[in-house]
Amino acid sequence: MKFVIFDIVQSSSHEYIVNRLNPSLLNKRTNKQNMASTGLLVISNFKQTPQTLKAIEKYVHSFYVHINVPGSVTPVPSWGRFISQLYVDGATLLTSCEKLNMNILVGPLKQQGTFDSLRLKPIDMIFSDARCTEVCEQLRQQLQIEKPPIYLADDQVVTDLCEHQQAKPLDKLQVYENVVLGGTFDRIHLGHKILLTQAVLRACSRLVVGVTTQEMTKSKILNELILPVEQRISELREFLQEIDSTLHYEIVPIDDPYGPTNSDPNMDMIVVSSETLRGGEKINEIRAKNNLKLLDIYCIDLVENSNGKGPKESKISSSNARIDLLGTRLRQPEYHTNLPSDIYIIGLTGNIASGKSKMAQRFQSLGATIMDCDKIAHEIYEPGQVCYEQIIQHFGRSILDNGRIDRSKLGATVFSNPKELERLNNIVWPELLKEVKRRIQGLPIIPGEIKIVVLEAAVLLKAGWDKEVHEVWSMLVPLDEAIRRVIARNNLTETAARDRLASQLTNKELVARSHVVFSSQWEPEFTQKQAEKAWNMLKEDLQQRQLQRKFHL
C-alpha cells in the first residue's frame, strides 16, 4: 500500500477530497478552520499507524479509534497487546498538542464490528487509513455525522491487523463474568487507559473499579492536587462507557487497599500492574480466610516514562502528571474591574518556609517588580507609623526592644493565641494594603507596555486580597518539610513550629484558591524551571492581550 499525507479540502460537489502534502510542510499548516473538535479514526493497517496519526493530529483536538478487524474477533483479549502498543505509539507520536486525547474503542470488537451500543461524544469527522467505505458509511449513519469520511489512502482495504493478534496460551486470553481492579485514577493518563482497557477486554458482564479516597492518598506526591474522588469517579465512568458501553460498571470509593474484594463472592479475576502484584496476592490471602473463591490475577507491565527527569518517576504515573501541573494554570483568572490595565499584579503567597522569597527573587531576575509585604510591614511597625501606637496600646510595651517592636516577642504572643493573632491582623492588614496600593500607583509605566508586579504576601488569602490581584500564585511544601525548615531557620521547637503552621492555610486550601502553584521540595534547579514555565506562559498571555488591544479584537 502506498501511503501519503493529505490536506483536506471540500469540492464543489460537497464531497471531501484529499490533496497530497509535502510532509515537511505538515506542521507549518495551522489553518484552524480545518480543525474538527472530535474525530473517529478507522485503522486497518498497523504498520501505517505512525503516518496515520501524524496525518490527522492537526485536524482534531481528540479522537476515537476503531480497529477494523476483518471477520470474527475471537478471542477479544487477543487484541490487548495491539491496543497497548497503539496507545504507546500515540503518546510518542502526537507531540504537536499535549492535550490531544485518544481513546481506543473495545465495544465494537466484542460486538463483531457492529456499532449499535456506541456512547461517544459528538463526532465531527471520520478518518480512515484505507478505503473501507462500507464500515465508514455504517459509522457515519450510526453516529449521524453529516460530513463524508476522509480516506487517508487511495487504495482499497489491505489489512495487516491479524498479523499482530496476540497468540498467547488460551488461559491468558480467557474472559470472565466479573473483573475487578483498583487505583487512584487521578487525571486519566496513558497507563490508566492501558490498565483499564485490559480489564474491559477480559470482562464480559461486570467490571468493578475501586477508587481510593483522600484517606489513602495522603502520602502521595503533591496529594493536594489530586482531584476529588467524586470527579475521578465521574471521569473514569465516562472513559469506560465510551470505550465499551456493553458492561455493567460498579465504580466505588475505597478507604483501604482491598475495597469490595474482601467480601464480594461474585468476583472472578483482578487486573494489577507489576507494581501492585503483591496487593493482588494479598487480596487472595484475605479471600481464602473469608472462604471466598480465589481470583485469577492478570498482571500488566508498567509503561516507562521517557521524560523521567528531575523528581519524576521512571514510569507513566499520576504523580508525574501532578508534577507537570506545577507552573501551569490550574484555572483561568477572573476579571476584576478595580485593577489597573497597564499593571498586571501577581499575588505570590504560601505558608511559612515554603520558599516565597526565593521564588520572588526568581521572578525579579526574569523582569518582575517585587513588592515584599513582609518588608513593608516592618516599615509600618516603626515608631511614628500608624500601626506602631495601636500595637503598643493593645499588646503592651513588653514587646519592645530599644523602643522598636520586637517581632519575635510579638510572634511568641500571637502565634499561640488565635484571638490575639486576629487582633494583630485587624490592626496591620488594612494599613499594609493601603501602603501597597500607594506604592503600586507610584510605579513608572512605559506607554503601550504592561508592567508585571509580584506582590509577595503570606497573608494574601487570609486578608482577602485575592480581589486586589489579577492572579494568585502559591508555593507548596509538604507539612513535615515545612516543620523541618521552620525549626532550622527560626530556631524553634517542633511544638512552636507546628503552632505557627497551624495558624496558616492548609496546602489544600491554597490550591483551591490559586491559579498557579509551585513546590520547592526538590532541587532549586527544578523550582527555577517551574518559575520560568509560569513566567513564559504569562508573558505570552500578556502579549496576546496587547495585540487584542491594538486591533480592538
Side-chain angles (χ1 to χ4, degrees), residues 481-492:
E481 173 64 11
I483 291 170
R484 185 192 66 77
R485 291 182 184 183
V486 171
I487 291 172
R489 189 186 72 179
N490 297 51
N491 196 26
L492 297 177

Side-chain angles (χ1 to χ4, degrees), residues 443-489:
L443 291 172
I445 303 297
I446 300 175
E449 293 188 7
I450 300 177
K451 180 182 286 291
I452 300 175
V453 173
V454 172
L455 181 65
E456 181 194 343
V459 304
L460 185 87
L461 295 175
K462 278 204 165 186
W465 294 356
D466 45 338
K467 299 296 188 294
E468 306 294 337
V469 299
H470 291 87
E471 297 187 46
V472 176
W473 292 6
S474 295
M475 297 295 301
L476 308 175
V477 289
L479 179 59
D480 290 344
E481 173 64 11
I483 291 170
R484 185 192 66 77
R485 291 182 184 183
V486 171
I487 291 172
R489 189 186 72 179

Side-chain angles (χ1 to χ4, degrees), residues 511-525:
V511 169
R513 299 176 64 181
S514 299
H515 300 94
V516 177
V517 296
F518 311 95
S519 183
S520 62
Q521 62 182 293
W522 297 291
E523 293 299 318
E525 293 78 10

Side-chain angles (χ1 to χ4, degrees), residues 291-302:
N291 295 318
L292 297 172
K293 177 179 64 176
L294 299 187
L295 304 178
D296 285 353
I297 298 176
Y298 183 79
C299 181
I300 70 166
D301 293 329
L302 295 171

Side-chain angles (χ1 to χ4, degrees), residues 280-293:
E281 295 168 344
K282 180 66 176 177
I283 283 171
N284 269 341
E285 292 172 11
I286 294 174
R287 289 180 70 86
K289 291 180 181 178
N290 295 339
N291 295 318
L292 297 172
K293 177 179 64 176

Side-chain angles (χ1 to χ4, degrees), residues 360-383:
Q361 292 173 16
R362 290 185 172 96
F363 289 128
Q364 186 173 34
S365 68
L366 291 169
T369 298
I370 306 300
M371 292 281 176
D372 186 337
C373 285
D374 194 47
K375 290 182 180 179
I376 298 173
H378 271 274
E379 296 174 20
I380 64 175
Y381 275 35
E382 287 294 304

